[in-house]
Amino acid sequence: VLYAYEQLASEGFVASDRRGTVVAPMTPAPAAAQVEPAPQPPVLRGLSRRASKLRWENPVLPELADGAGAFVPGVPALAEFPLSTWRRMLERAWRGLDPARLNYGDPGGEPALREAVADHLRAWRGVVCDASQVLITDGTQHSLDLCLRAYSDSGDRIWLENPGYGGALAASRAAGLKVSGIGLDAQGMAPRPADWRRRPPSLIYVTPSHQYPTGCVMSLGRRLALLAGARAAGALIIEDDYDSEFRHDGAPLSALQGLAADAPVLYLGTFSKTMFPGLRIGFLVAPAALAPALLRMAGHLAPRGRSADQLALAEFLRSGQFARHVRRMRRLYRQRRDALAAALQRHLGDAATLHGASAGMHLALRLNDARLSDAALAAQASAHGLALSALSTHAVQGDPGWNGFLLGYAQVPAERMDGLARQLAALVR
Ligand SMILES: Cc1ncc(COP(=O)(O)O)c(C=O)c1O
């Protein structure tokens, strides 16, 4: 009742004084004759041309992330995350905040987190940087958006791996860029001399640690050649190192960014895979010469905040909890990968070929019979509880000739792999 009175008072329908509450005097409604004819409802502008060019059939994540089906790619083993430790660190971070820290934050992110990220990248990834070059963002998608706004104009050309990451394609289209899909070979993105001459890029987006979606790892030779080519073309490389912490076989290759002094590289990383996607914290490392202007721009476009989350994450890194969690997940993912690879081999035999299983949380399964349609099979599979992402839907331009599935194994227990692979094989057969 009190709430009803309060609302009536706040909207001016009743007025209160010492004597009580009375109905407020109302302005009489205009006589019917004076009422103007209702105007035509305005026609709302639809999506812009740039937005209409975004592709929807391969959602970056949200629709896939609701746990529907085995093999959803891009989602870590959420059930294994040390939630109680994280909760404790969040509580501690909130307790330590004074009211002044509730204001807009530093445009680059919390200094403690920038320091912790710079230390982590130097030690783990061979990235050459200090904290002044690190910009904390809301994740890779946000970093990409910032990079494209900062370093390209509408109509500029970006090279994307083909097949490639839908998030990078969406960001490029939203920025009004010309997209050139560059094919892959066993060593990663493989531009031909004619590509450099006829379609020179302003920006080059790559996933060298674990190509998305095919999983190949860019060789050292190809990394050096790409750096040299980019330098000669005056292009910037955007290195998305999203899966680098989970290398299962062979020695880890350090980041492209650290391979040459003053490399023309914008290095992007995310905590979506090593922590959890809902955290929405990632980072961008800019070349020292570009960092100050980028930070100023980011401050205008994306004011920072969420100090407590960032401080808790800095402590998670500093205390060694992060390294511990990643080590545990690496072991778990390797086990799951081994179980999946063996089960696929057992049930599919030579009907399909495995690619890109040496790192990350997913592998690519290429169908050997070109008459099969991966998209049609993926649609059938969803009725059986399998979330197969068809490789053909990751084409950036034309048909790069990848027919098969992207299988995310991080969330699937090893003991389920045999049954799931058998189901998959039955479908293919
Ligand atoms: C290639 C690639 N980069 C980055 C990400 C993570 O992006 P974000 O930090 O926006 O969650 C993903 C997620 O699947 C990915 O596949």
Side-chain angles (χ1 to χ4, degrees):
V1 169
L2 285 176
Y3 176 72
Y5 269 100
E6 258 170 40
Q7 185 155 357
L8 287 169
S10 73
E11 290 175 12
F13 292 112
V14 296
S16 308
D17 61 19
R18 271 183 299 116
R19 286 163 302 168
T21 299
V22 294
V23 174
M26 297 284 166
T27 327
Q34 293 168 321
V35 174
E36 304 247 325
Q40 286 294 313
V43 179
L44 297 178
R45 281 176 73 92
L47 285 175
S48 65
R49 274 199 301 279
R50 280 181 305 187
S52 308
K53 280 196 214 146
L54 301 180
R55 268 191 350 203
W56 311 112
E57 73 268 24
N58 221 332
V60 174
L61 276 183
E63 284 97 326
L64 292 175
D66 62 3
F71 301 134
V72 171
V75 186
L78 302 176
E80 301 296 327
F81 184 72
L83 206 48
S84 56
T85 309
W86 178 240
R87 218 179 275 130
R88 255 201 327 278
M89 290 192 172
L90 274 177
E91 268 165 25
R92 202 173 311 154
W94 274 112
R95 243 183 282 128
L97 279 191
D98 59 46
R101 301 295 285 278
L102 302 179
N103 203 345
Y104 292 107
D106 191 308
E110 281 297 321
L113 182 57
R114 295 170 73 191
E115 286 285 351
V117 166
D119 288 351
H120 166 74
L121 293 178
R122 281 194 302 265
W124 285 39
R125 301 296 305 128
V127 171
V128 180
C129 69
D130 62 38
S132 70
Q133 294 165 255
V134 176
L135 179 68
I136 303 301
T137 67
D138 294 341
T140 300
Q141 203 58 35
H142 178 211
S143 306
L144 267 170
D145 232 39
L146 278 176
C147 289
L148 300 192
R149 289 188 208 202
Y151 302 112
S152 69
D153 287 301
S154 174
D156 283 354
R157 187 181 302 280
I158 186 167
W159 281 5
L160 301 182
E161 296 157 324
N162 194 20
Y165 180 45
L169 179 62
S172 304
R173 291 206 169 140
L177 300 186
K178 271 195 216 114
V179 170
S180 292
I182 304 291
L184 308 166
D185 63 18
Q187 299 188 64
M189 182 190 252
R192 294 160 305 180
D195 292 321
W196 290 108
R197 266 198 324 275
R198 292 201 208 117
R199 318 193 270 173
S202 303
L203 293 168
I204 303 171
Y205 167 86
V206 279
T207 49
S209 281
H210 191 223
Q211 202 272 333
Y212 193 93
T214 68
C216 72
V217 177
M218 191 183 279
S219 68
L220 182 60
R222 188 60 56 76
R223 287 171 197 237
L224 293 171
L226 196 65
L227 278 171
R231 248 196 240 286
L236 276 173
I237 297 175
I238 301 175
E239 177 177 20
D240 178 355
D241 212 19
Y242 76 109
D243 241 356
S244 59
E245 290 85 356
F246 305 119
R247 177 124 190 100
H248 306 312
D249 309 315
L253 279 170
S254 56
L256 256 169
Q257 194 271 6
L259 287 180
D262 298 324
V265 173
L266 297 155
Y267 177 91
L268 315 188
T270 180
F271 289 103
S272 288
K273 318 289 162 175
T274 46
M275 297 283 285
F276 53 95
L279 182 63
R280 301 316 306 142
I281 298 184
F283 47 86
L284 190 174
V285 181
L290 303 186
L294 181 64
L295 277 163
R296 273 199 304 279
M297 186 201 90
H300 284 291
L301 284 180
R304 306 303 311 150
R306 291 171 50 213
S307 299
D309 289 2
Q310 294 188 38
L311 291 170
L313 183 54
E315 197 198 336
F316 203 77
L317 282 154
R318 287 256 177 261
S319 64
Q321 290 289 346
F322 179 81
R324 202 161 142 222
H325 175 56
V326 168
R327 260 199 314 275
R328 261 189 70 228
M329 290 307 97
R330 201 182 291 136
R331 268 198 305 274
L332 181 75
Y333 297 159
R334 186 181 303 165
Q335 229 176 46
R336 292 182 172 179
R337 187 246 0 216
D338 289 347
L340 175 60
L344 291 171
Q345 184 56 41
R346 236 181 347 267
H347 295 293
L348 277 139
D350 53 15
T353 311
L354 283 194
H355 284 268
S358 65
M361 313 189 310
H362 68 80
L363 52 79
L365 183 72
R366 208 168 181 177
L367 294 168
N368 291 340
D369 184 344
R371 289 167 306 175
L372 293 172
S373 154
D374 58 2
L377 285 172
Q380 284 178 39
S382 65
H384 295 85
L386 298 177
L388 306 181
S389 175
L391 286 172
S392 62
T393 63
H394 295 264
V396 157
Q397 199 172 45
D399 175 13
W402 283 77
N403 185 38
F405 309 109
L406 173 58
L407 304 178
Y409 49 78
Q411 298 210 86
V412 187
E415 55 278 13
R416 286 195 62 206
M417 297 299 188
D418 189 74
L420 291 166
R422 187 175 313 131
Q423 260 182 305
L424 178 54
L427 250 156
V428 169
R429 222 158 272 131

